[in-house]
Amino acid sequence: MPPYRRVGDIPRKRHTLHRVDGKVAAEELMGEEGFSAASSLLYHRHSPSALHSIESIEAPEPAFTANSPLQPYHLRTGDLGPGASHDPVLGRRYLLGNDQVAMAFAAASESSPLYRNATGDELVYVHSGELVLESVFGRMAVHEGDYVVVPSSTTHQWLLQGPAELLIFEARGHVDLPRKYLTERGQLLEGAPFSERDLRGPDGDPLVDEGEDVPVLVRTRNGLSRHVHANHPFDVVGWDGCNYPFALSIHDFEPIVGRVHQPPPVHQTFTGPGIVICSFVPRLYDFDPNAVKVPYHHSNVDSDEVLFYSGGDFMSRAGSGIGKGSISLHPSGFVHGPQPGSRERSEDKDRTEELAVMMDTFKPLGLTDAARSVSDPTYPWSWARRA
């Protein structure tokens, strides 16, 4: 969880009367795992429970079908058509998923409605563009290369500054920093690939928006609903705690290098139920004179491996058609490694310039029809080609 923060106007003691402009503020304790894990305490001008209407929203849920017969995939996100909407919420094109995570891509050109995902945390990677995340916790500007963690049930909206492309991981649980990077008391270790200085939270001032009859889309495992709130949910005058949206730039991830090639866990950035997220950033190649610089053939026997290629030169995938915006899926049961000629081309190189996001899952991933529609049918045979 991110570090403790205190924002706006809050009383000295928790759960005591807090008067704002002569009226007692309404507390909202937003806590995880039955209030036994991270939490934040927010103070609203009005009751956050006051609703004027509730209605069901007809929206198709993503249908993931088994990767059968088993094969590797190359998905071209640039070939995806428009979604049901052009915003970062309703415009998501779901591609891969199982009962622990759903992965989607959104090419957005307009801001989103107010939204609250009650199925779990969302991890959003900004592939391109500039946006502002507004939430009950305040305002946070994000841009290309940022990871953004939005805690479960956080009322928020995405405001676009122009066209943006987002890779979204919808977890069925909470996205955390890897425990191996933390001290016993939760501080990031000196040897971790990023520090608290690299984590950004919302601005220091609450939004305190006013308004009546404000619609909010709410996602549960049963689908979408629309709650019309009597007052704007962004009427928070102050809050404190450790449960709030935060951002980490992939450019602030400090790569770990070695004399010979290091295994993928050194790139881990986030963890969640049944998933790990890793960052591949420009780094020096392995410096032993005989080192195999590109990833050797490997079989991740317990995981499906997904790579989103965000930018740079993808040395190990050269010759396979992989480019910026590509997604590769290498499932458990398939031995994968460098494309023909990649190892030879890397021998006189001293660094890699790739920028990529990896997700490993510990349950098999299914694919949507949208994913299959943008897959490269020649990719499974690309290792058999001559260099």
Side-chain angles (χ1 to χ4, degrees), residues 74 76 317-324 326 339 376 379 382 385:
H74 167 206
R76 297 185 174 109
R317 298 272 76 83
S320 64
I322 295 285
K324 187 174 181 180
S326 289
Q339 294 287 332
D376 175 3
Y379 185 65
S382 58
R385 298 174 187 154

Side-chain angles (χ1 to χ4, degrees), residues 60-128:
E61 291 298 300
F64 303 106
T65 54
N67 183 1
S68 180
L70 186 76
Q71 69 176 72
Y73 277 89
H74 167 206
L75 310 180
R76 297 185 174 109
T77 61
D79 292 343
L80 285 168
S85 178
H86 299 289
D87 70 74
V89 173
L90 295 176
R92 297 177 182 182
R93 304 300 306 275
Y94 289 91
L95 300 173
L96 304 169
N98 55 32
D99 62 0
Q100 294 180 311
V101 66
M103 192 184 83
F105 187 82
S109 57
E110 58 189 47
S111 298
S112 77
L114 290 171
Y115 175 61
R116 184 164 60 239
N117 187 344
T119 68
D121 294 355
E122 292 189 355
L123 175 63
V124 178
Y125 175 75
V126 182
H127 177 48
S128 68

Side-chain angles (χ1 to χ4, degrees), residues 51-294:
L51 301 178
H52 280 172
S53 67
I54 300 173
E55 60 180 326
S56 178
I57 301 297
E58 293 298 327
E61 291 298 300
F64 303 106
T65 54
N67 183 1
S68 180
L70 186 76
Q71 69 176 72
Y73 277 89
H74 167 206
L75 310 180
R76 297 185 174 109
T77 61
D79 292 343
L80 285 168
S85 178
H86 299 289
D87 70 74
V89 173
L90 295 176
R92 297 177 182 182
R93 304 300 306 275
Y94 289 91
L95 300 173
L96 304 169
N98 55 32
D99 62 0
Q100 294 180 311
V101 66
M103 192 184 83
F105 187 82
S109 57
E110 58 189 47
S111 298
S112 77
L114 290 171
Y115 175 61
R116 184 164 60 239
N117 187 344
T119 68
D121 294 355
E122 292 189 355
L123 175 63
V124 178
Y125 175 75
V126 182
H127 177 48
S128 68
E130 296 184 359
L131 307 92
V132 173
L133 177 71
E134 287 192 346
S135 74
V136 288
F137 295 96
R139 176 188 297 264
M140 183 168 63
V142 298
H143 46 77
E144 184 174 319
D146 276 343
Y147 291 106
V148 186
V149 177
V150 184
S152 177
S153 292
T154 297
T155 304
H156 67 281
Q157 66 180 145
W158 294 95
L159 303 181
L160 267 66
Q161 312 298 299
E165 294 176 307
L166 307 174
L167 183 70
I168 303 112
F169 303 94
E170 297 179 1
R172 294 296 185 263
H174 301 300
V175 174
D176 295 311
L177 304 180
R179 188 170 295 276
K180 65 182 180 180
Y181 295 158
L182 304 174
T183 69
E184 188 176 302
R185 297 185 179 182
Q187 183 180 3
L188 280 159
L189 290 165
E190 181 66 20
F194 51 89
S195 75
E196 285 84 359
R197 294 187 189 184
D198 300 317
L199 306 180
R200 310 192 321 269
D203 293 344
D205 296 316
L207 292 172
V208 201
D209 280 355
E210 295 291 351
E212 298 180 348
D213 295 326
V214 180
V216 178
L217 290 179
V218 182
R219 179 176 295 281
T220 69
R221 299 190 185 191
N222 297 317
L224 280 174
S225 303
R226 179 181 287 116
H227 288 186
V228 177
H229 286 248
N231 303 99
H232 202 297
F234 295 172
D235 64 346
V236 174
V237 298
W239 62 272
D240 76 329
C242 298
N243 186 27
Y244 55 86
F246 68 95
L248 168 68
S249 173
I250 195 171
H251 303 294
D252 284 329
F253 186 89
E254 304 300 334
I256 296 171
V257 299
R259 191 165 58 87
V260 295
H261 192 75
Q262 300 299 295
V266 303
H267 306 289
Q268 187 176 358
T269 314
F270 298 99
T271 187
I275 63 170
V276 296
I277 303 294
C278 297
S279 301
F280 292 89
V281 301
R283 64 193 185 279
L284 294 176
Y285 265 139
D286 321 301
F287 46 87
D288 187 277
N290 294 314
V292 177
K293 296 176 180 179
V294 296

